[in-house]
Amino acid sequence: MSLLQVHNISHRFDYLLFENVNFTLAPKESMAILGVSGSGKSTLLHICSTLLSPNQGTVIVCGHNIYEGNDDTRLKLRRYDVGIIFQSHYLFKGFFANENVELASVISDKSIEQGILERLGIAEFMHYRVGDLSGGQQQRVSIARVLAKKPKIIFADEPTGNLDDKTAQEVMNVLFEYVEKENATLLLVTHNHQLAKQCTYMRHLHVDGLKEEA
């Protein structure tokens, strides 16, 4: 059974951003989406992750046609089945790092493994206030917050943009291992070709759809 199905998605603002986007992802699969700045990569990710309705097309997440259902369906998916890693971390800055992660656990009735915090290199910083952490540390806390939910699908928008190459690779290793262990799916937007090549599929977004990356 596919976890994510995208059929004939098109979107425009005052101009056509992209059209005829189609793909399917099954458990344990991952896809990297590359493209020039402004090609609509983040917009496509938002459409696939329940945040933005497309102008045309169908998105099926965990068996639910998300833009034919009601808001309750999308909220439930975001609470339990969908994890979104944004370019900006969107942590609660007045909270401690561990409180941000624990909040996700409370909402989803799941919990994160201590080993993941250690692999992400943030175990020793979990009792720091978010405002006292570096940008890279905040980004890794936001990734831990998503993994604490144990989602079926992870949508990641430049999750390693604030990290050095070694740390970025370790973070991606954690995500790939999670996908394999939990029978989950990863949709990744990135400019990093080396990381993109490690996904099951690598596609380039053009105005006329997704193309296979050479």
Side-chain angles (χ1 to χ4, degrees):
M1 172 184 150
S2 299
L3 290 177
L4 178 61
Q5 300 174 54
V6 174
H7 302 293
N8 298 317
I9 290 295
S10 298
H11 198 74
R12 65 169 57 244
F13 295 112
D14 54 348
Y15 58 93
L16 179 63
L17 191 59
F18 51 74
E19 63 181 351
N20 195 34
V21 172
N22 295 273
F23 65 89
T24 300
L25 287 175
K28 298 189 178 183
E29 291 186 335
S30 55
M31 177 184 287
I33 298 177
L34 301 102
V36 300
S37 296
S39 60
K41 301 183 298 298
S42 294
T43 298
L44 177 59
L45 193 83
H46 290 170
I47 289 172
C48 295
S49 61
T50 79
L51 297 178
L52 177 66
S53 298
N55 294 134
Q56 180 179 319
T58 302
V59 180
I60 300 174
V61 174
C62 300
H64 298 276
N65 187 334
I66 58 175
Y67 296 115
E68 282 191 356
N70 55 36
D71 288 341
D72 288 344
T73 298
R74 290 187 287 275
L75 288 172
K76 187 175 181 181
L77 284 168
R78 286 199 289 270
R79 180 174 182 176
Y80 295 107
D81 297 322
V82 168
I84 307 172
I85 303 169
F86 296 97
Q87 291 186 52
S88 298
H89 53 76
Y90 293 119
L91 296 173
F92 296 106
K93 290 192 174 181
F95 286 40
F96 293 93
N98 65 313
E99 290 174 328
N100 275 271
V101 175
E102 288 166 3
L103 181 60
S105 295
V106 169
I107 291 173
S108 62
D109 299 321
K110 306 285 178 60
S111 60
I112 195 167
E113 299 171 12
Q114 180 67 22
I116 290 179
L117 299 178
E118 294 170 354
R119 290 280 305 281
L120 291 173
I122 55 173
E124 63 185 293
F125 303 114
M126 294 306 290
H127 293 284
Y128 284 50
R129 289 191 183 276
V130 168
D132 294 330
L133 300 177
S134 69
Q137 290 165 346
Q138 291 174 0
Q139 183 69 357
R140 282 176 280 162
V141 171
S142 75
I143 293 169
R145 181 174 61 180
V146 165
L147 294 178
K149 296 170 53 177
K150 291 189 169 58
K152 293 179 181 177
I153 308 177
I154 296 174
F155 297 93
D157 193 355
E158 296 285 359
T160 62
N162 293 323
L163 307 177
D164 61 80
D165 290 345
K166 181 179 179 181
T167 305
Q169 183 61 65
E170 185 58 33
V171 165
M172 290 308 304
N173 289 344
V174 170
L175 292 176
F176 288 134
E177 289 168 16
Y178 173 87
V179 165
E180 181 70 22
K181 179 181 177 183
E182 300 292 339
N183 293 313
T185 287
L186 170 66
L187 185 63
L188 170 71
V189 165
T190 183
H191 285 96
N192 189 320
H193 279 69
Q194 290 303 115
L195 296 180
K197 288 177 182 178
Q198 298 170 45
C199 291
T200 314
Y201 310 103
M202 185 168 61
R203 299 290 184 267
H204 200 285
L205 183 59
H206 298 271
V207 69
D208 58 344
L210 288 174
K211 309 296 183 182
E212 190 167 354
E213 182 76 5

